[in-house]
C-alpha cells in the first residue's frame, strides 16, 4: 500500500491568519465583532498556540466586507480600518509625535500586485517640511513614504532597501502595505488584514522574500494587506469541491427536468461536501481532505514551475478603491487634523 | 446509470485555432514551417472542415517562439511577424495607399488585458497629416489608431464604437489587436496569432462581446493577438493531468530513495497519461478525456461566476516587450519607409 | 510714424470667460456670489453683449477657490460644483432619466493635459447595464464615458470621433471635460468653468480643433474645464508687469538699506502699474496696455512656432485632486443615489 | 543715477555646461567633433578655468541632435551615446566586472520630469541573480536599479536615499539619470549631457537638492541628462530678443505691403539683435545684455514664487523615445552581451 498519497511534509501558505483558524472560531485567542455589515476578527498568536499556525506571533486583525467599490460601504470600511489601526498604534504606545515611514511593497506596473505603491500615491507626506524647517501646523506628524518596487525590478532584496532607509532616516515606526495571497477565492478583495507581526514582500505573488519585521528592523512594524490573488493550488482544490457538490446535487435532481435548467449556486462549505460522492467522482484524490488535497497539488505543481497567479477580472477597478480606503485611513489615523468628513 | 457525466452540450473556447487542431497536424489544411527557432503554422478553415473547429472560416497564422523578452529573439520574432502580416495584406490586395485604422482592444489599466492599448502607443499615426493637408513624404500611408477601452469602462459595446468610427473615417481596412485566452499554460506569451476571421473583444478575459469582422464592418479585418491568460478551467484540467503523471511516476519509483529527492518535470503530453492511474486517482473524473473534463468543469464553474483570470507573475514585463514587437512590426508592414534596422 | 506697434488685428484667446470681463464686474450680465471661501461668477453672453467677448453665446459659470488639494476645501468645492452643474442641467430640462455621454478630452500621458481622461477614470458608468438588460436600481441613469485621446495620438479629428459615437448611441446630452488655458498664472488649477457654449478640444495646449457644441451635435453640450496651463505670451506679459512694479518699488526704497533685503511680493493688479516707470523700463513696449502687449507678443511668437506650454511644478498632484472633485461631482449630479457623504 | 539696474550679484543656472561656454568655442578646454548629423562637445572644467563656469570640475560631454523621435536618427544617437558613455567608464578604469547601481531621479507621474524613472523601466537588472547565486552567463555584469521619486513624494532628501542604498549594496559606481533644465528653448529634448561631475536632483524642475557626486558618495558618479524644460526666465528673455528682431525687420519692411503677409522666422542669434531697436522697444531693459536681462528677471520673479515650468507640447512622445535611447544605450555600454542590432 505504498501508493497512498503522503502529504505530511508539505506546507500550504496563506497570508491571512483567519484562513488558518478554520471553522472553529470559538477559541480564546479569537475575538470577533460585527460593525454594521463589517466583521472584525482579532487573532492573537503567541507561544501557547503558535503550533496551530504557520505564522509568527502577533496580533492579526481581519476586517471582512462585501463590496469596497460602493461609496457608502467604502466609507464604513474606512471608518473601521481607522479605528483598528489606531488600536494597534496604541499597543506600541505610539504617540502623536512619533515619526512614521510608510512603505508600499509590490510592482506598480502589475495590476494584481500594485496595491502597495498606489496606496503610497494617496499618502500625505510631511517629513521634508520638518527636515527643511518649514513650519507645519499642529495636528500633523512627520511621515515619509517610499515605494520599494520588487526585487525583479531593482535587483535588490526589498528588506535591504528598507533597512538602509530606516537606518538613514530613523523613523519611530513603519507601516508596510502589500497585496496578499488568499487561500480562498471568496476572500479576494474583501478583506483587510492589519498585523504587528511583519510581512514578507512578494508573498502576494508567491515570491517570498526576507521578512520586514520588528525583530529585524528594531522598531514597530505594522503591516496592512489585502488579498488580491489566490494561487493555482487554491483554484484546483476549490474546483474539486464545487464539482463534487454539483455532482451530488445533479445526481439527486436528475429525474426532475426543471432542475436541469436551473443554474446551481453550489456551496463549498466544507461540511456540505458529500464524501462518498467525492470519492466516486475523484477517486483517491477524493479521499483527501482540503489541506491534504492542497498539499498534494502543491507538491506536484510547485516544482514544475507553475508560475501563475489567479486574480479577478475587475482587479484594476477594485484595487483603486482599496488603495483609497487604506491611504485615506492611514492619513486619518496618523494626523489628528485629517478628518474623514 | 443516470449518474454518469454528460458533457456533450458544452463548448470550451480557446482563442487559438492551433489549440483546436490537436496533435494530428498532418492535415491538408494545416501548413507548418520553421524559421530559426520560430515555428509558423497556417490553418485554413473553410466549409470543408469547419465542423472540426469552433472558429469562423478564415486563415489563422500562428507564430510560436520561446522567449520574446530576449533582444535577439525579439528581433527574429518581429521579422517573422512582419513577413506574415504582409502576406495577409496581399491576400486582400491591400496596396501601399490603402488607408488603415488600427484598434487596440482591452483595458490599459489591467496588466493582463493591456496588450491592445499599449501596442497603440507604439503605432506611427499619420492620418491627420493627410486630413490637414500637411505634406507626408512618400513611403507612408494614412494610419489612424484608437483604443476602445472595455465595455465595463465605457458602457458602450466595443463593436458599436468601432462601427461608428469606421463609418466616419472610412478606412480601407482595419487591424485589431487584443490579448487572447489560451487553453494551455505553455502557450501564454509565447504565441502571436494573425487571422482574417475577426475577433471578439474581451475574449482574453472571458467576456465575449459582439465580433469585429469583415462581415459586420464591410472591410478586411486583420486580428493580431497574443494569449496572455488562461482560464481557471484550463488550470484545473492541466493540474489533473500533471497530478496523474506525477502519481504514475512516483508509484513506479517509490522504492528508489534517490528518486524521491528528484524534482520531477512531469509531462502532460496527452498520450503519456496512464489512464488506469488516472481513474484510480480521480475516480469518474479520471475516466473523462481532456475535452470532456474541461466541459464538465466549465459547466460547474461558469454558472457560479468564477470570475477569475490566470496570468503569469511577470506579465507586465513580457507584455511590454510583445507590444513593442507588434507595434514596430505593424509600422514596418504598413510603411515602406519604416525599416527594421 | 509708421514704426509704432499696431496690434488691432490680433486676438488673444483665453478659455475662461471671466478673464475677458476684466475688472468691471458690475455689469448686468455678470452675477457674482460667495459661498464660504469659494466665489461663483455667472457670465451670460448673448447677442446684446457678444461683441465684448471672443466667446460664443452661452452661460459661463466660474468657480474660484484657493487650494483644491486640501481635503476640507476640496469637499466644499465639490459641493458647489455639484450644485452649479445641477443648475445647468435644469436649464435644459434634463430629467433624471435622460441618458448621458461623458467625454474626457486630452492626452492621458501628458500630465498638464490629462484632466479629461483621468476624470473619466472616476466616472460611474452604467449604460451597458441598460443595454444588456441588467437590472439597475432606481436612482441611477444611463451614463456612458469615453476618452477621445488627442488628434496627434489617433490621427482623427476629435469632433469626428464624438459625432460618430453620439450618432451611434444617441445620448440625450453630453458632458465634456478638458484641461484649459488661462491668461493669468494666478488662475491655474484654482478655477472650474462650467459652460453650455461648447468647447474646442486641445485648447488647453493651444492646438484648437473643431468645436464640440450643441449646434454641431444637436444635443445639449455641457463643458467642464480647469485651466492647467498658461501660454508663453501670458508669462512674458505677466513678467513685464511684475518687473515694472518691482522697479517702481525698488526705486522708491533704494536708499533704505533694510528694504533691499526684503522679498517683495509685487502686485500685478493693473491699476497699480506705474505707467511712467513702465515706459522708462520697457520703452515702446512699456506704452502698450496688457491686451496690446499680449497681442504684440502673440504676433511675434506664434508664427515662429513657440510650441511650449507653461504649467505648475506640482501639476501631477493637483490634477489628480481636481479629477476626483469633478468625477465625484458629476456622479453626484447625475445619479440621485450617489451622495456626497 | 541710482535707478539703474544692478544685476552683478545674481546667478542664472543652466544644467548644461555647453550653455555656459557661449559662442567662443575655440578654447583649449573645449573639444568638438561631428558624427553624421550629431555634434559631440567635450568641455573639461578644472582649476584653471573653473571661474568661468557655475559648474563643478569635471568632464561634460554634450551630444546634440535634431530629432530623436525618428527611428533612424535615434539609432545614430544611441550609437554615439554608447561610445561616449564607454569612454567615461574607461576614465575611471571601470572594468567588465565592476558592479553598477543605476538611479532614476524625478517624478514618474509628471511628464516633464519622468525621464529618470521611465529610463529605469528599460534597464536590464541582474544584481539579484548574483545575490541569489543564480548562474548568469558571461558578458553581463551586476546591475541594480532604483527610482528615488522626488522629495515631495517621499518626504526624504533624495541624496539620503541614495547614500543609504549605496552603503547597503556597495556598488563600484553609479549612473544617475535625470531631466535637466536648459536656458534655451532650442536645446530642449535635443541634447544628452554625460558628466562625471555629479548632479543635483530636481534641478530640471528648479528645486535644487543635495548633490549626488563622487565626493559625497565615494564612488564614481556618472550623470546622464536631457533638458526637458526651460524656466520662465528663459522664455521671457528669449521673447525680448525675438520681439526686437521682429520689430527691426518690420520697421525695415513696413512700406512693402507684401512683407506684411509674410510669416517671419526671426533669428535670435545674439549678434543679430539691433541694440538701438532693442533700446527703443524695451527701454532700460533693452540696454541689458542677455545675462543681465536674465539676472534681472530672475531677481524679480524668483522671490515671488513663480513656480512654473515650460515644456514642449509633445513632451510625452519625445521623452518616451529618449528613455529608450538612454536605457538601451546603458544596457549596451554595461553588458558585452547586449548588442545594438
Amino acid at each position: 500500500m505504498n501508493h497512498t498519497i503522503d502529504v505530511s511534509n508539505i506546507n500550504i501558505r496563506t497570508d491571512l491568519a483567519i484562513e488558518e483558524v478554520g471553522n472553529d472560531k470559538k477559541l480564546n485567542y479569537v475575538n470577533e465583532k460585527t460593525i454594521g455589515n463589517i466583521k472584525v476578527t482579532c487573532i492573537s498568536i503567541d507561544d501557547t498556540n503558535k503550533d496551530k499556525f504557520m505564522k509568527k506571533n502577533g496580533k492579526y486583525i481581519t476586517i471582512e466586507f462585501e463590496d469596497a467599490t460602493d461609496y457608502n460601504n467604502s466609507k464604513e470600511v474606512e471608518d473601521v480600518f481607522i479605528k483598528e489601526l489606531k488600536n494597534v498604534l496604541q499597543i506600541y504606545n505610539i504617540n502623536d509625535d512619533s515619526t512614521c515611514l510608510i512603505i508600499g511593497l509590490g510592482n506598480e506596473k502589475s495590476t494584481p500586485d500594485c496595491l502597495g505603491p498606489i496606496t503610497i500615491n494617496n499618502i500625505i507626506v510631511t517629513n521634508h517640511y520638518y527636515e527643511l524647517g518649514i513650519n507645519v501646523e499642529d495636528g500633523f506628524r512627520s511621515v515619509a513614504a517610499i515605494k520599494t518596487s520588487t526585487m525583479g525590478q531593482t535587483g535588490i532584496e526589498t528588506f535591504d532597501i528598507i533597512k538602509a532607509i530606516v537606518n538613514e532616516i530613523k523613523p519611530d515606526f513603519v507601516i508596510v502595505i502589500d497585496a496578499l495571497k488568499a487561500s480562498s477565492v471568496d476572500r479576494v478583495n474583501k478583506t483587510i488584514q492589519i498585523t504587528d507581526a511583519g510581512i514578507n514582500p512578494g508573498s502576494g505573488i508567491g515570491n517570498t522574500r526576507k521578512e520586514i519585521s520588528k525583530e529585524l528592523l528594531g522598531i514597530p512594524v505594522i503591516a496592512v494587506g489585502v488579498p488580491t490573488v489566490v494561487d493555482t493550488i487554491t483554484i484546483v482544490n476549490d474546483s474539486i469541491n464545487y464539482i463534487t457538490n454539483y455532482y451530488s446535487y445533479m445526481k439527486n435532481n436528475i429525474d426532475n427536468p426543471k432542475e436541469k435548467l436551473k443554474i446551481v449556486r453550489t456551496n463549498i462549505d466544507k461540511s456540505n461536501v458529500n464524501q462518498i460522492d467525492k470519492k466516486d467522482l475523484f477517486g483517491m484524490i477524493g479521499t483527501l481532505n482540503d489541506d491534504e488535497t492542497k498539499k498534494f497539488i502543491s507538491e506536484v505543481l510547485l516544482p514544475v514551475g507553475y508560475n501563475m497567479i489567479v486574480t479577478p477580472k475587475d482587479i484594476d477597478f477594485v484595487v483603486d478603491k482599496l488603495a483609497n480606503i487604506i491611504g485615506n485611513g492611514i492619513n486619518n489615523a496618523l494626523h489628528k487634523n485629517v478628518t474623514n468628513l
Side-chain angles (χ1 to χ4, degrees), chain A:
Chain A
M1 293 295 79
N2 55 2
H3 301 161
T4 52
I5 299 170
D6 176 8
V7 294
S8 52
N9 299 315
I10 309 166
N11 287 333
I12 300 295
R13 233 177 56 68
T14 164
D15 290 321
L16 300 176
I18 202 170
E19 293 191 325
E20 296 187 26
V21 173
N23 285 331
D24 181 11
K25 291 184 183 170
K26 284 167 199 161
L27 299 160
N28 62 346
Y29 54 85
V30 176
N31 191 341
E32 276 189 20
K33 62 186 168 190
T34 300
I35 304 165
N37 296 309
I38 298 162
K39 198 167 107 186
V40 180
T41 309
C42 179
I43 300 164
S44 303
I45 305 180
D46 56 27
D47 287 348
T48 68
N49 63 1
K50 69 179 175 186
D51 297 344
K52 298 175 183 159
F53 292 88
M54 286 175 293
K55 295 248 164 312
K56 290 178 58 194
N57 286 3
K59 282 199 178 310
Y60 295 83
I61 296 151
T62 311
I63 303 169
E64 294 174 271
F65 43 88
E66 260 314 297
D67 179 5
T69 68
D70 174 87
Y71 185 79
N72 294 0
N73 275 1
S74 75
K75 283 295 161 195
E76 282 176 37
V77 173
E78 193 175 318
D79 287 340
V80 172
F81 173 66
I82 292 166
K83 198 166 158 299
E84 297 300 326
L85 182 55
K86 282 182 174 172
N87 285 345
V88 177
L89 297 179
Q90 280 178 347
I91 295 172
Y92 289 96
N93 295 315
I94 289 167
N95 62 43
D96 293 351
D97 291 334
S98 301
T99 62
C100 181
L101 172 64
I102 304 181
I103 300 160
L105 304 178
N107 180 352
E108 191 162 7
K109 301 203 171 304
S110 180
T111 320
D113 193 29
C114 74
L115 177 74
I118 66 169
T119 299
I120 294 296
N121 295 343
N122 297 325
I123 294 296
I124 299 175
V125 170
T126 58
N127 183 63
H128 52 317
Y129 299 129
Y130 296 91
E131 292 292 319
L132 298 172
I134 295 170
N135 193 41
V136 182
E137 57 180 310
D138 285 349
F140 287 92
R141 75 170 76 220
S142 167
V143 171
I146 56 164
K147 303 174 184 178
T148 57
S149 295
T150 65
M151 195 178 189
Q153 292 174 305
T154 61
I156 310 172
E157 180 79 58
T158 301
F159 174 79
D160 294 343
I161 295 176
I162 293 172
K163 187 186 65 178
I165 292 173
V166 164
N167 286 346
E168 182 66 35
I169 70 166
K170 303 198 191 318
D172 294 322
F173 67 106
V174 305
I175 296 177
V176 186
I177 304 141
D178 200 6
L180 304 178
K181 188 173 66 178
S183 68
S184 159
V185 168
D186 293 336
R187 288 196 197 281
V188 169
N189 292 337
K190 294 183 176 170
T191 303
I192 300 174
Q193 178 177 271
I194 308 173
T195 178
D196 59 358
I199 195 167
N200 292 290
S203 62
I205 56 162
N207 299 314
T208 308
R209 311 291 334 141
K210 221 190 281 183
E211 77 175 21
I212 319 299
S213 68
K214 187 166 188 283
E215 287 72 23
L216 295 184
L217 290 180
I219 51 174
V221 170
I222 300 163
V224 176
V226 173
T228 57
V229 298
V230 293
D231 56 28
T232 50
I233 295 157
T234 294
I235 284 289
V236 175
N237 180 61
D238 282 9
S239 297
I240 287 173
N241 286 323
Y242 270 122
I243 288 168
T244 304
N245 282 356
Y246 178 83
Y247 170 76
S248 303
Y249 178 88
M250 291 303 280
K251 201 177 62 174
N252 296 330
N253 291 280
I254 200 107
D255 297 328
N256 180 351
K258 275 194 304 186
E259 290 296 322
K260 294 197 83 165
L261 298 170
K262 195 169 143 189
I263 288 174
V264 185
R265 180 65 178 95
T266 55
N267 188 337
I268 59 163
D269 184 345
K270 286 148 194 158
S271 58
N272 268 0
V273 178
N274 182 315
Q275 295 305 324
I276 296 168
D277 286 346
K278 193 171 177 184
K279 186 170 179 354
D280 282 356
L281 204 53
F282 282 104
M284 286 166 65
I285 294 288
T287 66
L288 304 177
N289 70 20
D290 263 36
D291 276 359
E292 291 166 337
T293 309
K294 285 190 178 188
K295 284 178 185 176
F296 183 67
I297 302 168
S298 172
E299 184 176 354
V300 177
L301 295 185
L302 285 191
V304 299
Y306 232 43
N307 211 23
M308 310 293 279
I309 49 171
V310 184
T311 196
K313 283 172 188 165
D314 62 351
I315 183 70
D316 62 305
F317 179 66
V318 186
V319 164
D320 216 44
K321 304 292 182 187
L322 289 163
N324 272 325
I325 291 172
I326 296 174
N328 293 341
I330 289 174
N331 292 335
N332 266 270
L334 295 188
H335 305 293
K336 266 193 192 168
N337 259 16
V338 177
T339 48
N340 190 19
L341 289 187

